[in-house]
Amino acid sequence: DSGVTQTPKHLITATGQRVTLRCSPRSGDLSVYWYQQSLDQGLQFLIQYYNGEERAKGNILERFSAQQFPDLHSELNLSSLELGDSALYFCASSVGDRANYGYTFGSGTRLTVV
Amino acid sequence: QQQVKQSPQSLIVQKGGISIINCAYENTAFDYFPWYQQFPGKGPALLIAIRPDVSEKKEGRFTISFNKSAKQFSLHIMDSQPGDSATYFCAASNDSSNTGKLIFGQGTTLQVKP
């Protein structure tokens, strides 16, 4: 157990639907990162939050949004789902706001859009 | 400019052999270069990292070699073991950008044969 908890582990939903992925960071970590992992795109950075504030944004689609709550857990909302959104979504956390603090990844949420 | 190119895509090594994975980058602002190891069904885990002011870093059987002028870095796994069979990702970040965003390579699937 890495200390980063992601729920649910698996999610199957239909096109056009909306889902919410949840991440609880490791105790003491202030940064939360979201990555999308697909077979053809590798690990793609979506967004970083640090202590409740958005710190960096990657090529995140407008249909996707995220937030970090006062208790530091984070949610990634995916709407108007398309088949191409099927992927593994990873959350990672770190104590600081830079990559050199080292990420701890969760086990991921596997999203299947049918 | 933001890409990190990783090769080979897959690698098969005999037990006891040396595994070598290479990465190249374009953005000279990158100043932190980690390697992550991912086992099936798990999130990536930080293996070893290097900064450009160091040409080599060794931790146990794992060594990063860094060539700043060529903008290349590589992971060497000495005395490779079947337990090292996993997917390896190189990555890069610009820590002075005030974000923790990591750009990942496409990954290398390593199989160590007994």
Side-chain angles (χ1 to χ4, degrees):
Chain A
D1 181 11
S2 69
V4 177
T5 304
Q6 287 188 249
T7 56
K9 291 192 183 304
H10 302 277
L11 199 49
I12 301 175
T13 190
T15 54
Q17 294 298 304
R18 173 189 168 96
V19 297
T20 297
L21 312 184
R22 182 187 168 97
C23 171
S24 293
R26 202 176 52 163
S27 177
D29 286 356
L30 298 178
S31 271
V32 169
Y33 304 84
W34 287 97
Y35 281 81
Q36 181 190 57
Q37 185 177 39
S38 56
L39 282 174
D40 58 341
Q41 293 288 323
L43 278 158
Q44 298 291 312
F45 172 76
L46 294 177
I47 198 162
Q48 175 195 3
Y49 281 88
Y50 177 72
N51 203 19
E53 294 185 357
E54 182 184 304
R55 182 59 69 93
K57 216 168 187 177
N59 294 327
I60 187 168
L61 299 171
E62 284 192 14
R63 300 183 286 108
F64 295 3
S65 65
Q67 55 184 324
Q68 185 179 31
F69 294 87
D71 67 352
L72 300 178
H73 91 272
S74 177
E75 292 181 355
L76 179 66
N77 299 295
L78 315 176
S79 61
S80 302
L81 285 167
E82 301 175 359
L83 295 178
D85 297 328
S86 295
L88 261 172
Y89 291 83
F90 282 105
C91 167
S93 71
S94 68
V95 64
D97 60 350
R98 311 296 167 90
N100 69 346
Y101 285 96
Y103 288 6
T104 300
F105 279 87
S107 293
T109 293
R110 181 172 294 280
L111 173 66
T112 303
V113 183
V114 297
Chain B
Q1 267 261 321
Q2 285 291 314
Q3 280 187 323
V4 176
K5 294 183 180 178
Q6 183 171 347
S7 63
Q9 190 173 359
S10 62
L11 184 60
I12 300 174
V13 172
Q14 290 295 128
K15 178 183 174 182
I18 302 173
S19 302
I20 301 174
I21 304 170
N22 300 299
C23 285
Y25 64 97
E26 289 293 326
N27 189 348
T28 54
F30 287 150
D31 56 7
Y32 173 71
F33 302 88
W35 285 87
Y36 280 78
Q37 179 189 53
Q38 184 179 25
F39 292 105
K42 301 289 187 182
L46 179 62
L47 190 60
I48 187 172
I50 198 167
R51 288 203 173 273
D53 53 344
V54 176
S55 61
E56 187 175 280
K57 182 173 181 181
K58 185 175 180 180
E59 288 185 3
R61 296 183 295 108
F62 300 91
T63 299
I64 300 179
S65 297
F66 190 86
N67 186 329
K68 189 174 180 179
S69 60
K71 290 185 282 186
Q72 295 175 349
F73 58 110
S74 60
L75 176 70
H76 292 63
I77 306 174
M78 311 301 287
D79 187 27
S80 299
Q81 298 296 312
D84 297 330
S85 297
T87 299
Y88 293 81
F89 293 94
C90 61
S93 76
N94 175 7
D95 274 1
S96 59
S97 69
N98 208 31
T99 81
K101 172 183 175 180
L102 274 173
I103 306 297
F104 283 89
Q106 290 293 96
T108 295
T109 302
L110 171 65
Q111 182 185 357
V112 181
K113 290 195 167 183

